[in-house]
Amino acid sequence: MMRTYSLTVLLWSCMLHAVHMMPSQKRTNKHSKSERITGLSENDGETLHRTKRGWMWNQFFLLEEYTGPDTQYVGKLHTDQDKGDGNLKYILTGDGAGSLFIIDENTGDIHAAKKLDREEKSLYVLRAKAIDRKTGRQVEPESEFIIKIHDINDNEPKFTKDMYTASIPEMSGVGTSVIQVTATDADDANYGNSAKVVYSILQGQPYFSVDPETGIIKTALPDMSRENREQYQVVIQAKDMGGQMGGLSGTTTVNITLTDVNDNPPRFLQSTYQFNSPESAPPGTPLGRIKANDPDLGENAETEYSISNGEGSDMFDIITDKDTQEGIITVKKQLDFENKMLYTLRVEATNTHLDPHFLQLGPFKDTALVKISVEDIDEPPVFSRPSYLIEVDEDAKEGSIIGQVVAQDPDITKNTIKYSVDRHTDLDRIFNIYSGNGSLFISKPLDREETPWHNITVIATEINNPKQSSQIPVFIRILDINDHAPEFAKYYETFVCENAKAGQLIQTVSAVDKDEPPRGHKFFFELVPEFAVHPNFSIVDNKDNTAGIMTRRNGYSRSKTSTYLLPVIIFDNDYPIQSSTGTLTIRVCACDSQGNMQSCNAEALLLPAGLSTGALVAILLCIIILLVLVVLFAALKRQRKKEPLIISKDDVRDNIVTYNDEGGGEEDTQAFDIGTLRNPEAREESKMRRDVIPETIFQIRRTTPLWENIDVQDFIHRRLKENDSDPAAPPYDSLATYAYEGNDSIANSLSSLESLTTDGNQDYDYLSDWGPRFKKLADMYGGEDSD
């Protein structure tokens, strides 16, 4: 219910001043005119003055939201000057005067014309005047007063947000603060309890509670688990009037989320897992996946898998899939069914991010057994070694066994194996193998010097299952025997000077041997027994696989003996000892004083004695110079013959170019037309020519026919000038017409053949009138004695 109060207040304040005995003195104040009053007092003769009473206002009070049938009465203005005769008029000015507040100008009664709202404006300042209607003068000074709006509880509390969102870690203790909500009330907090707000929880118990004064929401239950429930919706009420009956209220919703903590260890769904793997699975092959479930989220659920030390830890491995948090069992080493058929692994799953607040909940890990059965497959034969190295002497006989390879079936069935040689690795079929036992033997002779190594491949195949086979490389090394004799390392061109002295070294020889003795080569040199004591030369073994050829006398003569043959025996030191005889050819040559060879030819001895070496050199130089001159002359002459008329392609001068081409025969009708030289009309024909580019590429400008001109020289000059000045002339080798014989001649034909058909002699005297160019013809035919 709304209580309405009607309050009329009229406050008068009279100020009484002491009366001073001042003669004929009038006193006034700022509010009213002074008025002299004469009276008696204790002291006769003194004048008594009194200040007239004025009005002074306190504030008026008015209730907001008045809903009565009449206007709300505010108060009454009145002055003691009002005699009730209607001579005074009251005037109200200030906030809301005339619109919100209306005054009766005759009685001074003030009413509120409209319903007021304190929350919009809580007080109004107005001014009052009392005016004499007749004179228009104020009978009382203007006075200011205040109308204050009293508050009523007409506004409910409002929260700052319609919905709040908050989060708190799960397993938080009782009383942990979650969030604070705030509600405001627009009513006057200084008047009554209209704005006093009290908070309470309408929904969310018994999990949360709210402080009635501060609005702080707190947890009310211990160990709330996110895994059990993650979202909570709490409704908070704010009620004014201190929460008493009749107060207004407002509500808000708070959505609270429990965030995850690592309070749950990983757990395998089963204690034992079973997987199978073929024994042929290569390392890295995945066999299966296992997973330990963790109800936590994010990094709190990250799990690391490992295999405990024990059986199978060296044969298998486990890796963690970070996306699915699964453990993947993989093969670590090659499996062998015949060696072990079943493995039992102990796999452990552990959280990687532990929360120390929850370690007391127990170990955050779990274990499970993984059993892996190895499946048998039919495997190919396995050799006893990864490769074989066999050594054999190169003089081994055909059919000799040089070695053996061994393979067996790794399966339990132990199938029989047969052996063969891959002929792609032994194209010459030098080696063969016994298929039953794998023994290798020689089929052809060996030669280490030709092929020191043979690399062949042996294949082992199961007889019962030919698809199962394997192969192995066999490296055969041919061992050397001393079956080659040493020989000179190269062909020696040895000479001795005619002026050589005894004991002079003329050649150092060395030897080579195709064999390779284990201790290295050692060669010995000596002369053959028939030349053990050679009268001209001797040999000295240097003990370092070389020997020196020495002279045994002074002076040698080409005229007597121009060439000497010296046989030398070369021995090796291997068993059996091999030797060979090499013959040195020693020529006798002419040398200078320094021992440098000059000539070894015997024909030089037949030259005249008076012809010296210098003369021979001079004659040779002359011959060379003559040959050079002849070659140069021939080259220059050939150059002049082949020099073209147009040296460069950029030279666009008109020339008659010699092509040295006889044409294509009688059917070649598109070659150079000789008639063009005599008939200029042929040039005007639109005939395609081979020597110029077609008109579709370069348009040649046509010229005006000039055959009307009978002056041949003028015609040629004009034609030459025309071609030289033509900017569209093609830059190609072309035949330009510069000669013209004219259309007809008044002399007709000058042929002597036609003259035979005439009946009498013809008169050629008119030739002398044709000018100096025809003087020769006039002399020949113009005279009487001409034939």
Side-chain angles (χ1 to χ4, degrees):
M1 295 180 60
M2 298 290 294
R3 294 184 179 181
T4 305
Y5 299 90
S6 176
L7 177 64
T8 304
V9 181
L10 179 63
L11 297 177
W12 297 96
S13 175
C14 298
M15 301 179 64
L16 181 63
H17 298 269
V19 179
H20 300 278
M21 300 300 293
M22 295 182 65
S24 303
Q25 185 175 4
K26 182 184 292 184
R27 299 184 65 183
T28 61
N29 58 14
K30 63 179 181 178
H31 300 292
S32 63
K33 293 186 297 181
S34 300
E35 185 176 304
R36 177 178 298 179
I37 300 175
T38 304
L40 298 176
S41 63
E42 297 179 355
N43 301 321
D44 291 338
E46 292 184 359
T47 303
L48 182 64
H49 296 273
R50 178 177 68 85
T51 300
K52 187 178 181 180
R53 290 183 303 173
W55 53 26
M56 187 176 72
W57 304 96
N58 287 331
Q59 61 186 7
F60 292 112
F61 293 93
L62 187 64
L63 288 178
E64 66 169 335
E65 303 292 345
Y66 176 73
T67 58
D70 300 327
T71 57
Q72 188 176 186
Y73 184 72
V74 178
K76 184 180 181 66
L77 298 179
H78 188 75
T79 178
D80 57 359
Q81 298 295 325
D82 188 358
K83 304 299 182 181
D85 53 4
N87 291 329
L88 295 181
K89 180 174 69 172
Y90 295 96
I91 298 175
L92 186 66
T93 61
D95 295 339
S99 58
L100 294 179
F101 303 103
I102 301 174
I103 188 171
D104 188 333
E105 62 180 14
N106 296 321
T107 63
D109 293 326
I110 301 174
H111 291 81
K114 296 181 181 180
K115 181 173 64 174
L116 302 178
D117 187 356
R118 188 201 67 82
E119 285 72 36
E120 292 183 0
K121 192 173 179 65
S122 61
L123 59 86
Y124 297 86
V125 179
L126 296 101
R127 291 175 296 277
K129 296 179 182 179
I131 299 176
D132 191 320
R133 291 180 181 272
K134 296 179 180 180
T135 64
R137 299 176 59 187
Q138 295 185 12
V139 298
E140 288 290 348
E142 183 178 85
S143 178
E144 183 178 278
F145 64 95
I146 297 173
I147 298 177
K148 187 173 182 181
I149 309 302
H150 267 180
D151 181 52
I152 65 173
N153 189 18
D154 60 341
N155 291 279
E156 72 277 2
K158 292 184 179 180
F159 285 93
T160 56
K161 294 181 180 179
D162 294 335
M163 181 175 292
Y164 292 84
T165 301
S167 62
I168 186 174
E170 62 173 332
M171 308 299 290
S172 298
V174 176
T176 303
S177 296
V178 180
I179 192 174
Q180 183 179 15
V181 295
T182 303
T184 58
D185 196 319
D187 294 326
D188 190 359
N190 298 319
Y191 181 77
N193 294 328
S194 298
K196 185 177 181 181
V197 178
V198 174
Y199 300 95
S200 61
I201 184 168
L202 299 181
Q203 177 182 324
Q205 294 176 332
Y207 307 103
F208 299 95
S209 63
V210 64
D211 189 296
E213 295 183 357
T214 62
I216 298 177
I217 300 175
K218 300 179 181 180
T219 58
L221 284 181
D223 301 333
M224 287 191 294
S225 176
R226 182 201 64 82
E227 290 74 28
N228 295 333
R229 183 176 177 181
E230 184 177 5
Q231 298 287 340
Y232 293 86
Q233 190 175 73
V234 179
V235 178
I236 303 298
Q237 182 189 64
K239 189 174 184 180
D240 59 12
M241 299 297 292
Q244 298 178 2
M245 185 73 69
L248 303 179
S249 63
T251 60
T252 187
T253 300
V254 183
N255 292 323
I256 301 175
T257 303
L258 297 183
T259 59
D260 184 63
V261 298
N262 191 9
D263 60 337
N264 293 281
R267 290 288 181 263
F268 285 106
L269 297 180
Q270 56 194 71
S271 59
T272 304
Y273 295 85
Q274 182 71 40
F275 298 104
N276 297 326
S277 174
E279 62 176 336
S280 61
T285 302
L287 302 181
R289 292 172 175 256
I290 61 175
K291 184 176 182 179
N293 289 336
D294 192 331
D296 295 325
L297 298 177
E299 67 176 15
N300 296 324
E302 291 183 3
T303 304
E304 188 72 25
Y305 296 89
S306 61
I307 297 178
S308 303
N309 292 330
E311 179 188 17
S313 60
D314 57 338
M315 301 300 295
F316 300 93
D317 198 1
I318 186 169
I319 58 177
T320 303
D321 189 335
K322 298 299 183 181
D323 297 330
T324 62
Q325 296 300 316
E326 293 177 319
I328 305 174
I329 306 293
T330 61
V331 178
K332 189 175 182 180
K333 292 183 179 180
Q334 187 67 49
L335 302 176
D336 187 0
F337 173 81
E338 289 72 27
N339 184 27
K340 190 173 181 61
M341 294 179 289
L342 179 64
Y343 292 89
T344 301
L345 311 178
R346 182 173 294 277
V347 177
E348 186 176 88
T350 307
N351 277 150
T352 56
H353 298 84
L354 300 180
D355 192 334
H357 298 89
F358 305 101
L359 294 179
Q360 72 277 4
L361 297 180
F364 284 80
K365 61 182 179 179
D366 195 13
T367 59
L369 294 179
V370 177
K371 295 183 178 182
I372 301 176
S373 299
V374 181
E375 299 175 349
D376 185 29
I377 63 170
D378 190 4
E379 299 176 87
V382 177
F383 286 92
S384 60
R385 301 178 189 175
S387 63
Y388 289 86
L389 174 62
I390 298 176
E391 295 181 344
V392 57
D393 293 332
E394 65 175 324
D395 61 347
K397 303 300 181 180
E398 297 180 18
S400 300
I401 295 178
I402 61 175
Q404 184 182 18
V405 296
V406 178
Q408 62 179 359
D409 184 9
D411 300 321
I412 297 178
T413 56
K414 301 298 180 182
N415 292 325
T416 306
I417 306 298
K418 68 175 181 178
Y419 303 90
S420 61
V421 175
D422 186 358
R423 290 306 174 187
H424 293 91
T425 61
D426 185 23
L427 298 177
D428 296 332
R429 295 182 175 270
I430 299 175
F431 303 96
N432 212 330
I433 191 170
Y434 291 108
S435 62
N437 58 12
S439 297
L440 286 165
F441 60 92
I442 302 173
S443 299
K444 292 183 180 181
L446 304 176
D447 187 356
R448 189 203 65 84
E449 286 71 31
E450 181 179 351
T451 307
W453 283 89
H454 294 271
N455 300 328
I456 66 174
T457 300
V458 175
I459 302 174
T461 306
E462 294 183 9
I463 295 179
N464 295 336
N465 187 6
K467 293 182 179 179
Q468 296 296 336
S469 64
S470 58
Q471 55 188 18
I472 198 74
V474 178
F475 306 103
I476 302 175
R477 179 182 180 185
I478 309 302
L479 300 179
D480 183 44
I481 62 170
N482 194 21
D483 57 345
H484 290 83
E487 56 188 14
F488 282 126
K490 63 178 181 178
Y491 174 77
Y492 293 99
E493 294 182 355
T494 306
F495 71 93
V496 62
C497 295
E498 289 183 310
N499 56 358
K501 304 297 182 181
Q504 184 176 343
L505 176 65
I506 62 173
Q507 182 69 60
T508 300
V509 296
S510 62
V512 294
D513 194 335
K514 294 181 180 179
D515 298 321
E516 290 184 1
R519 292 183 299 275
H521 291 289
K522 182 64 177 177
F523 302 117
F524 304 95
F525 303 87
E526 62 180 35
L527 297 177
V528 296
E530 292 79 2
F531 297 91
V533 180
H534 198 282
N536 297 307
F537 305 98
S538 63
I539 185 169
V540 178
D541 195 336
N542 296 325
K543 307 301 183 181
D544 59 355
N545 293 339
T546 63
I549 307 301
M550 313 292 292
T551 59
R552 295 196 63 187
R553 61 185 180 88
N554 296 329
Y556 296 85
S557 175
R558 282 184 293 170
S559 59
K560 295 181 179 180
T561 305
S562 61
T563 302
Y564 293 94
L565 299 178
L566 184 64
V568 178
I569 301 177
I570 308 173
F571 300 90
D572 60 19
N573 67 334
D574 203 0
Y575 181 83
I577 295 176
Q578 300 287 342
S579 64
S580 66
T581 300
T583 302
L584 288 175
T585 301
I586 303 174
R587 294 184 299 165
V588 180
C589 299
C591 303
D592 57 12
S593 60
Q594 302 298 326
N596 298 320
M597 180 184 67
Q598 292 182 342
S599 175
C600 295
N601 296 328
E603 291 78 3
L605 299 175
L606 302 178
L607 293 175
L611 193 60
S612 63
T613 303
L616 292 175
V617 173
I619 293 172
L620 183 60
L621 289 176
C622 291
I623 294 173
I624 294 174
I625 292 173
L626 289 175
L627 291 175
V628 171
L629 291 176
V630 170
V631 171
L632 290 176
F633 179 76
L636 291 175
K637 185 175 181 180
R638 184 177 180 183
Q639 183 69 20
R640 285 197 300 271
K641 288 182 179 181
K642 292 186 177 182
E643 184 177 0
L645 293 177
I646 299 180
I647 303 302
S648 173
K649 292 182 179 180
D650 297 332
D651 192 347
V652 296
R653 296 174 297 173
D654 289 334
N655 296 280
I656 299 177
V657 181
T658 301
Y659 290 92
N660 293 330
D661 186 5
E662 294 182 358
E666 295 180 354
E667 296 180 358
D668 187 1
T669 58
Q670 294 185 359
F672 299 105
D673 190 359
I674 304 302
T676 307
L677 294 173
R678 298 176 176 84
N679 186 6
E681 294 180 354
R683 186 174 180 268
E684 302 301 323
E685 296 177 1
S686 58
K687 182 186 298 184
M688 296 296 292
R689 293 170 54 189
R690 294 183 180 180
D691 57 329
V692 295
I693 193 169
E695 291 181 355
T696 56
I697 300 177
F698 194 95
Q699 186 67 33
I700 300 177
R701 184 176 63 85
R702 300 299 182 181
T703 59
T704 304
L706 299 176
W707 53 85
E708 296 86 358
N709 195 343
I710 60 174
D711 190 345
V712 177
Q713 183 179 7
D714 182 65
F715 169 81
I716 294 176
H717 287 171
R718 291 180 64 182
R719 181 68 74 189
L720 177 61
K721 182 178 180 181
E722 181 183 67
N723 281 274
D724 290 339
S725 62
D726 186 8
Y732 304 97
D733 295 336
S734 60
L735 183 62
T737 302
Y738 297 105
Y740 175 53
E741 295 182 357
N743 288 333
D744 292 312
S745 174
I746 59 176
N748 293 325
S749 176
L750 299 180
S751 173
S752 59
L753 296 178
E754 292 185 0
S755 63
L756 296 177
T757 61
T758 59
D759 295 336
N761 293 332
Q762 190 175 354
D763 187 8
Y764 296 104
D765 293 338
Y766 58 85
L767 293 176
S768 60
D769 298 333
W770 286 8
R773 295 184 181 88
F774 297 87
K775 183 178 183 302
K776 184 66 175 176
L777 291 176
D779 293 342
M780 293 175 61
Y781 293 94
E784 296 179 356
D785 298 335
S786 62
D787 294 332

